[in-house]
Amino acid sequence: GDRAALAARLTLGLANHSLRRGEHDQALEHLREALPHAERAGDRVLTGRIVNNIGIALLDSGMPEEALAEFRRALELRRGLGYRTGEVINLHNIGDTYLRMGDQARAFASFEQSRDLAKECAWERGVVMNAPYLAFLRGLRGEDVAAELASVAEAAVRIGEQDSALTARWFAARLTENTEEVSRIRAEAEAAGFTNLALLIGAGEQ
């Protein structure tokens, strides 16, 4: 059990390194290698983390339907454990997947569920993580959310969530079609090491 858990954690570390570098195929290979080790060890927390990260790698590889299945699987694992911050993350990831699939209604509902659960847990990071997405989706409906997104970006910086701050600024730039600002934020994301966010911003520029 201990040996299997160690093998799973080491391979997960390699996968996370690949994910940060935007090497999704390599990350998937490591994650699929790590999963049976975690299952053999009987470590359901670690199994949930690996399954969630398989979803992230699939989503960033342009396979949203497959990613959605993995995020739902991770969500059920985490619900079974009572791991509520894990549920917040998975509901957020499900919302992100729906958003990339163009299903704004389901995306909004998932981000809202994630935010509400984060509030119940008094987990500020989870609330801030969802705030840019909820504001952006309301902005797409025609609401004026510029001040709200600016406030969210400030709140994110205050608690050290630089990626959420950049996301809020990116959404604000997208709503105003400010392509110069979008390019600037993408460069900041790359410089800060947020490779996946930089890639997503790049995709959003197309």
Side-chain angles (χ1 to χ4, degrees):
D2 288 348
R3 186 174 292 180
L6 179 61
R9 290 181 191 281
L10 287 171
T11 315
L12 175 60
L14 291 172
N16 289 342
H17 179 70
S18 295
L19 273 177
R20 283 191 293 272
R21 292 169 60 90
E23 298 166 352
H24 306 120
D25 290 346
Q26 187 68 56
L28 274 171
E29 189 177 316
H30 288 312
L31 289 163
R32 286 173 172 149
E33 182 184 339
L35 185 57
H37 290 303
E39 290 172 334
R40 192 157 51 248
D43 190 329
R44 292 194 294 157
V45 172
L46 185 57
T47 300
R49 189 174 302 142
I50 292 167
V51 172
N52 176 68
N53 286 11
I54 289 172
I56 291 170
L58 288 167
L59 183 59
D60 289 336
S61 298
M63 293 183 273
E65 291 87 356
E66 293 88 342
L68 199 56
E70 298 298 334
F71 290 142
R72 285 174 172 156
R73 182 179 165 203
L75 180 62
E76 290 311 308
L77 277 167
R78 288 167 162 181
R79 277 183 175 154
L81 290 167
Y83 178 25
R84 302 187 84 200
T85 55
E87 289 180 56
V88 170
I89 290 167
N90 278 114
L91 287 165
H92 175 86
N93 289 345
I94 288 168
D96 191 15
T97 307
Y98 278 131
L99 181 59
R100 297 201 212 181
M101 293 169 75
D103 191 336
Q104 293 179 18
R106 282 195 173 95
F108 191 90
S110 296
F111 290 131
E112 202 167 42
Q113 277 185 286
S114 180
R115 181 205 58 197
D116 291 350
L117 184 57
K119 283 182 176 178
E120 282 180 33
C121 302
W123 189 35
E124 189 177 12
R125 177 178 170 251
V127 176
V128 167
M129 177 174 66
N130 286 289
Y133 291 84
L134 288 164
F136 175 63
L137 285 164
R138 293 200 338 272
L140 290 176
R141 296 173 188 169
E143 291 186 39
D144 183 357
V145 295
E148 183 178 345
L149 283 167
S151 175
V152 167
E154 288 174 11
V157 168
R158 194 164 56 246
I159 65 167
E161 288 299 314
Q162 188 63 23
D163 54 342
S164 291
L166 287 169
T167 300
R169 287 174 52 208
W170 171 43
F171 283 154
R174 281 185 63 186
L175 288 169
T176 57
E177 299 181 353
N178 185 338
T179 53
E180 283 185 17
E181 176 69 357
V182 167
S183 296
R184 188 157 46 244
I185 295 163
R186 184 183 183 188
E188 285 183 45
E190 286 174 342
F194 301 124
T195 308
N196 287 341
L197 177 58
L199 289 169
L200 181 57
I201 290 170
E205 285 181 290
Q206 311 286 311

